[in-house]
Amino acid sequence: MKTLKIPEATITRLSVYSRYLAQVDRHGVTTISSGEIAEGVGVSPAQVRKDLAYFGEFGTRGVGYNVKDLYWHIIKILGLNTTWSVVIIGAGNLGTALSMYGGFRERGFKIVGIFDNDPHKIGYRLNGIEVYPMERLEEIIEREKAQIAIITVPAEHAQEVADQLARTSIQGILNFAPRVLNLPERLELRNVDLSVNLEILTFNLAFRRAMKNGK
Amino acid sequence: MKTLKIPEATITRLSVYSRYLAQVDRHGVTTISSGEIAEGVGVSPAQVRKDLAYFGEFGTRGVGYNVKDLYWHIIKILGLNTTWSVVIIGAGNLGTALSMYGGFRERGFKIVGIFDNDPHKIGYRLNGIEVYPMERLEEIIEREKAQIAIITVPAEHAQEVADQLARTSIQGILNFAPRVLNLPERLELRNVDLSVNLEILTFNLAFRRAMKNGK
DNA sequence: TAGATTGTTAATCGATTAACAATC
DNA sequence: TAGATTGTTAATCGATTAACAATC
């Protein structure tokens, strides 16, 4: 076991493995091999073993892995054995959709507030989550001990919101605005660009087609 | 210029470059260097040039790139010079939010219908887009010549929906359900897992913290 | 011509795959 | 003991970075 550099792709896959393990666990499976996990999520068995090897030895040679056991090991690795409090900035369609997204709750994320600067939206409750004005950002983040913020405001306002968040005790930001953000080093930043994903799809489709027709 | 193998990361970055170019173009900038693009989107200048080199020579040595020109070249590479018709399967929070998402429209994607199996939702219009029953999936896809489908149904139903789509003329699928899908080779598939992104964030936060406290 | 910046090749770095000894 | 499967090392593959000749 070595810990030095862990590829981000490994973390992505661990997340996928853990969800797959939860799924087979629900079906009553107690033991699973790297080959079966690989088959289930579409990677190679060596990949599965390598990914796990970064963090320890979780299996039994000749036998495989205990499903529940490995599941909890991965949950712990991902930091999901504790609850994370999350605020959402932007009560538009995407923000409200994410505030109700079951996938977050299932994995232990707790949305503790939504922020917007539209006076009409303030005070409204979405699924029991209150919409606050931007002025109360710092106050609510402190009160709720929120560690993560999700930005779903229009691209033009994303940097401004990021600046405001940088002045709070927020530790990580998940940015859905299609804009590159400048942030202090101490903040963890991840970008989710919904259009990019669709565009990789169109590239593959357009490119394939071009290949077929001659070339 | 060689075309053989293009890293997916290159396509992701091209998408980001093009949006950045649109942004500086709006500010009246006409010429830009690889270094300036790199600075603007947070990669290295060599990276920018390498990415572009897969597809041709778009710049002038000693000068740089014409902003509008390069923008359109990338748009063409990504296959965005034509309109893509898209259907959304699942009229829940996420599906409806995506149907109204401005980021898609801006890049030339046209949502032509939303599908759901909840009778209460059928016939309802969201932003001018009609909600159809699942039974009409094939009919509407043919009529609207939709090429892409976005899956936003619960994980339990994702495979079933994928199977239905595989029987239509849909060419590509963007899957938001946290479930690995099995599909025929001919279909292009991309997975967007919203939780995974949040989990990479928590891993980084949890891991960093563990590093600090001893270890 | 001198300065700037591209396009491209070679060197480096990192991640995946293959192979196999360890061991249940 | 024989069969299975892990954990790990070495080999391969691929992507990024550095360097520089080409050229505006």
Side-chain angles (χ1 to χ4, degrees), chain A residues 15 19 23 77-78 103 107 171 179 186 188 190 193 195-197 199 202-204 208-209, chain B residues 15 19 23 77-78 103 107 171 179 186 188 190 193 195-197 199 202-204 208-209:
Chain A
S15 175
R19 243 191 310 273
Q23 191 186 323
I77 291 165
L78 295 174
R107 301 289 279 181
Q171 296 165 26
R179 178 71 48 108
R186 64 170 189 84
E188 204 62 45
R190 297 273 317 160
D193 194 320
S195 294
V196 164
N197 281 290
E199 290 171 19
T202 58
F203 169 79
N204 286 336
R208 265 196 188 179
R209 207 171 297 162
Chain B
S15 175
R19 244 191 310 273
Q23 191 186 324
I77 291 164
L78 296 175
R107 302 290 277 181
Q171 295 164 28
R179 178 71 47 109
R186 64 168 190 87
E188 205 60 47
R190 298 271 318 159
D193 193 320
S195 295
V196 164
N197 281 289
E199 290 171 19
T202 57
F203 170 79
N204 286 336
R208 266 197 186 177
R209 204 171 297 162

Side-chain angles (χ1 to χ4, degrees), chain A residues 202, chain B residues 79-86 105 107-112 145 147-148:
Chain A
T202 58
Chain B
L80 299 178
N81 52 336
T82 54
T83 302
W84 295 83
S85 293
V86 179
R105 211 163 332 122
R107 302 290 277 181
F109 295 101
K110 194 184 168 205
I111 313 293
V112 296
K145 303 208 187 333
Q147 304 114 317
I148 296 174

